[in-house]
Amino acid sequence: MTADAGQDRRSVASYGEVLDVVDVGRVRLTRRYGCIRRDQFEIVTKEPFPSAFRDWIASRGELRERPTFYVIEAPGAFQLTVAPRAGRAILMPRLATDLTWQAQTAREIAEVLDGMLNHGSCLANTRQAG
Amino acid sequence: MAIDERVIVETVTGMGLAGNEEGLIPAFGLYLTNHYADFYNRISFGVLGALVRENPELTEDAVALLTEAAHVCAFHTFGGIMSSVEWDALVQPMIESREDWVRGMMAVVNAFGWGRFRVAELLPDERLVVELRDSYESSGYLESYPRTDGPRCFLANGGMAGLMNLVYQGDITRRPALTEELYREVFSDPRSFRSRERLCAAKGDSHCEFVVERMQG
Ligand SMILES: [Zn+2]
């Protein structure tokens, strides 16, 4: 997913419209139009998210955990809401970030998750997202 | 597992929903708002009053406008919630039937504190009767205006129709995109659901009650 993918579509897109869908290994990443400055990203896997993913993403912000889902709040960056057993998460970037950063961050999170699903570890050679 | 309202209410109220540094509350796939019910009521009943003062014959049109606003709100709000990650994690595992989508949504609504909603009757694909206590629309109305002869919970009333339309007409269980086209398709169908507020605290009843049925059976 590149920053300008779906650029033509976004000029006429309305809220919630799918701009593009890419598979990052075993992770499906769907980008939807939020507003002129913000996209939203859905991260879906066929299997549950590993707990190592929660530990990794929790280092990026404040973790709020409920029995069946959790939310990572990274002020100035994003909010990630994760239903680990359902294998689904939503990334809502903050307006302080730009579209390029948003797309890169979503991609990097998907890559880390895919690495964990493949190797059962968070130590796959992933770049730090943002 | 059937819908466990207590678990849903405890989980949602424990989420610590509060505005972030942008002043937004992103949750359940929506941007929630936290504002005074009196403020909403003032606008809603103000619209009604202004139109009726202009011409009493506009009463029906005013109610139709407020109901339409409620249908649009329900479509996006309930639709968004039922498509959300939080729903997937919290409510979906409890769902055993299509009717549980209605009951699950009612539990989330109660968790948000929009009143105390209770499903009194649910005939699949046909009819929903909901009782509502502590409706902020009726109590807000009575704070500012004398008792009426007609119901006043326009948002809750349209919301109940919206919920039935999402579950039985728009098939929210398939997670359709909540587009304007889908809204029009669902709500303009002659068989789509409409709600009638049979009892309302604003007209002196002990509580409010909504009966939701298809326009054409
Ligand atoms: Zn009422």
Side-chain angles (χ1 to χ4, degrees):
Chain A
M1 188 173 290
T2 61
D4 55 351
Q7 199 60 40
D8 292 341
R9 297 182 64 178
R10 65 176 309 118
S11 62
V12 291
S14 56
Y15 181 83
E17 199 173 315
V18 172
L19 295 176
D20 51 64
V21 182
V22 294
D23 288 323
V24 181
R26 289 150 74 175
V27 180
R28 173 152 288 193
L29 185 55
T30 302
R31 170 154 56 155
R32 292 190 174 83
Y33 183 81
C35 70
I36 195 163
R37 287 168 53 199
R38 163 154 56 195
D39 291 332
Q40 294 176 7
F41 301 85
E42 183 183 29
I43 298 162
V44 174
T45 58
K46 288 200 170 77
E47 58 255 273
F49 286 15
S51 56
F53 177 77
R54 183 198 55 213
D55 299 341
W56 172 75
I57 197 74
S59 69
R60 308 279 307 276
E62 183 200 336
L63 174 71
R64 279 186 285 136
E65 206 161 11
R66 305 301 301 149
T68 51
F69 62 95
Y70 53 90
V71 181
I72 285 84
E73 199 71 61
F78 61 80
Q79 176 182 301
L80 184 76
T81 307
V82 184
R85 265 172 274 171
R88 189 165 170 239
I90 297 285
L91 178 75
M92 311 259 279
R94 293 291 213 268
L95 283 174
T97 64
D98 63 33
L99 293 169
T100 303
W101 186 92
Q102 295 169 15
Q104 282 170 355
T105 301
R107 173 96 198 185
E108 286 164 12
I109 290 172
E111 285 172 355
V112 170
L113 178 58
D114 180 52
M116 291 176 181
L117 292 172
N118 285 319
H119 308 296
S121 158
C122 62
L123 301 175
N125 55 350
T126 50
R127 284 168 294 158
Q128 277 291 310
Chain B
M1 190 199 297
I3 296 295
D4 188 334
E5 178 158 336
R6 191 184 52 81
V7 168
I8 293 172
V9 170
E10 279 178 12
T11 304
V12 174
T13 51
M15 280 169 72
L17 294 174
N20 60 29
E21 79 280 4
E22 291 181 342
L24 298 172
I25 312 173
F28 283 93
L30 310 167
Y31 291 112
L32 298 174
T33 57
N34 183 10
H35 71 79
Y36 298 105
D38 286 348
F39 177 71
Y40 168 80
N41 285 334
R42 183 76 190 82
I43 292 171
S44 170
F45 300 136
V47 165
L48 177 67
L51 284 167
V52 171
R53 271 194 305 280
E54 187 71 32
N55 181 348
E57 286 180 12
L58 289 176
T59 305
E60 234 175 81
D61 301 87
V63 171
L65 280 173
L66 292 166
T67 304
E68 169 70 5
H71 287 166
V72 172
C73 173
F75 178 76
H76 291 287
T77 305
F78 294 162
I81 290 170
M82 290 190 278
S83 309
S84 71
V85 165
E86 290 91 332
W87 179 276
D88 270 2
L90 175 62
V91 186
Q92 188 75 49
M94 300 178 183
I95 288 179
E96 292 170 341
S97 66
R98 186 172 291 266
E99 289 60 55
D100 282 344
W101 285 76
V102 175
R103 295 193 187 93
M105 192 62 242
M106 217 60 79
V108 174
V109 162
N110 283 335
F112 284 153
W114 296 344
R116 286 186 294 138
F117 289 77
R118 193 183 80 83
V119 174
E121 183 187 342
L122 177 52
L123 292 178
D125 204 23
E126 199 180 318
R127 182 180 152 94
L128 169 70
V129 180
V130 170
E131 295 171 0
L132 170 58
R133 287 175 174 78
D134 297 329
S135 141
Y136 65 84
E137 289 177 277
S138 65
S139 57
Y141 189 88
L142 290 173
E143 277 168 22
S144 305
Y145 310 93
R147 185 185 285 189
T148 75
D149 50 6
R152 285 295 181 269
C153 301
F154 305 119
L155 190 59
N157 187 48
M160 294 303 101
L163 177 56
M164 286 294 274
N165 278 330
L166 280 165
V167 174
Y168 294 107
Q169 194 71 25
D171 197 0
I172 190 68
T173 68
R174 286 188 304 104
R175 297 276 162 84
L178 298 166
T179 60
E180 212 175 316
E181 294 74 48
L182 181 66
Y183 173 78
R184 267 187 254 120
E185 186 190 315
V186 168
F187 283 80
S188 64
D189 190 294
R191 291 198 70 243
S192 62
F193 287 92
R194 291 297 182 274
S195 178
R196 176 167 58 86
E197 191 177 3
R198 186 163 62 184
L199 303 175
C200 183
K203 63 186 179 78
D205 297 310
S206 63
H207 62 280
C208 305
E209 186 179 274
F210 309 96
V211 180
V212 191
E213 289 170 318
R214 289 190 181 277
M215 286 194 286
Q216 292 175 12

